[in-house]
Amino acid sequence: QPTEPALLLRGARYATLRRFLLARARVAAVVDHGDGAFEGVLAPTCVLVLVRHPARADRVRWTTPAGVRVDVDDAAWRRDPQCAFAPVSAAASALLARLDELPRLRTLAHLGRGAEIGRSHPALSSRPGASFVPCLTGSDVEPWRAVSTRWLDPTGLPKRLFPEERRARVLVRETGARLTAVHVPEGTASTRSLFHVVANDGIGLPPDFLLAWLHSSIAQFWFATCVRADSGIFPKLRIGQLGDLHVPIAPSLVAAVGELAARRRRARTKAAARELDGWIDEA
């Protein structure tokens, strides 16, 4: 019954270890303690109960930090390329199985990240300059919008750090308690705290639709269940995990939701935004 950092459960860097465990043992139970299990330790912690070389069981006993028990079908873990140990109930498993029928984002779009610099880099400024270009960092982005813009002096960066990807694109935050994205026009740079998504040529994946999908309740459910640790510490979304997100591409759905999303992006009041969020989820 090893005690581990809870990032082991769904963290991308632990995928190889999870595959190793599933190939050699059965996870009988998970006790997710969340934050604060040990004094002075902020990282979330969990306990895994493993049974070596048994007959495979259908259910894993999962206990959340709030003491809630969830019976988990580990078949969902085995189907997942990341083998994420997620608290997937029977209802959640059915929804994830439906998502599995859809193509993954990595097959529909090019994924990358911005300049390998932090937000305090000297090439970044809060004021524009003659040769500067607009630039966003993760903290500049909230759902559907950029709340502030910095400016980047390309001459202050080695060429290998300069963000060559400056097409119009969707940017997704690397850290946060939820999926958070914004669409930016051509010419906008970004830093490493944002992933960029550019649809492949010939793929009907307009930015407004992609924004709507990333912010939908279904995509947020996937993120909370399969990616995010049960922690108050902001988790990191890995680019491989973002690429694993399944995306519906039925033309009629894309058109209908894209139209709603364009209205959502232009919403001027919180009430109008909430109403459109509901319509998008219904669609």
Side-chain angles (χ1 to χ4, degrees):
Q1 300 186 32
T3 301
E4 300 284 353
L7 295 177
L8 176 147
L9 298 176
R10 281 162 278 183
R13 70 177 62 182
Y14 294 101
T16 300
L17 176 57
R18 290 192 295 267
R19 294 189 194 100
F20 177 88
L21 293 175
L22 288 176
R24 290 161 178 81
R26 174 173 66 86
V27 182
V30 176
V31 181
D32 190 351
H33 291 291
D35 301 331
F38 298 99
E39 185 177 353
V41 178
L42 295 179
T45 306
C46 69
V47 173
L48 294 179
V49 181
L50 305 171
V51 181
R52 186 176 182 182
H53 297 304
R56 186 178 302 171
D58 293 330
R59 295 290 182 265
V60 179
R61 300 189 309 276
W62 186 293
T63 305
T64 72
V68 176
R69 289 281 294 274
V70 181
D71 286 333
V72 176
D73 182 356
D74 76 350
W77 300 354
R78 297 172 189 277
R79 289 195 304 265
D80 177 20
Q82 296 286 333
C83 291
F85 290 177
V88 183
S89 65
S93 183
L95 180 53
L96 290 175
R98 291 187 63 186
L99 286 175
D100 282 343
E101 299 171 1
L102 304 174
R104 296 184 187 276
L105 183 58
R106 67 163 55 90
T107 68
L108 304 173
H110 167 68
L111 306 179
R113 66 192 312 157
E116 290 292 331
I117 58 174
R119 63 182 180 180
S120 59
H121 194 279
L124 279 175
S125 172
S126 59
R127 298 178 181 179
S131 61
F132 292 8
V133 296
C135 183
L136 296 179
T137 70
S139 59
D140 297 324
V141 174
E142 291 184 356
W144 292 89
R145 67 193 186 109
V147 294
S148 60
T149 301
R150 300 165 204 263
W151 300 86
L152 178 67
D153 178 9
T155 64
L157 290 179
K159 183 173 177 56
R160 63 184 176 83
L161 294 182
F162 184 69
E164 296 180 357
E165 182 58 81
R166 285 190 287 157
R167 289 178 286 178
R169 62 204 188 281
V170 169
L171 299 176
V172 183
R173 279 185 60 159
E174 180 186 39
T175 60
R178 53 169 289 144
L179 288 173
T180 302
V182 67
H183 178 240
V184 295
E186 183 176 358
T188 305
S190 57
T191 68
R192 66 186 179 192
S193 55
L194 290 163
F195 299 122
H196 57 249
V197 183
V198 181
N200 295 337
D201 293 340
I203 296 294
L205 194 65
D208 277 339
F209 171 76
L210 184 55
L211 274 183
W213 178 245
L214 287 165
H215 291 115
S216 71
S217 292
I218 299 176
Q220 297 296 337
F221 152 78
W222 166 83
F223 176 73
T225 303
C226 299
V227 176
R228 189 182 71 204
D230 198 343
S231 167
I233 303 171
F234 275 175
K236 279 193 175 184
L237 172 68
R238 304 291 179 179
I239 195 167
Q241 293 170 320
L242 179 60
D244 280 339
L245 174 63
H246 293 273
V247 182
I249 57 171
S252 58
L253 178 66
V254 171
V257 171
E259 182 179 342
L260 290 170
R263 293 171 59 186
R264 170 62 173 84
R265 186 167 39 80
R266 297 191 299 266
R268 295 185 177 274
T269 67
K270 290 183 178 179
R274 283 194 300 270
E275 183 177 42
L276 286 161
D277 285 340
W279 291 351
I280 288 169
D281 277 343
E282 279 188 39

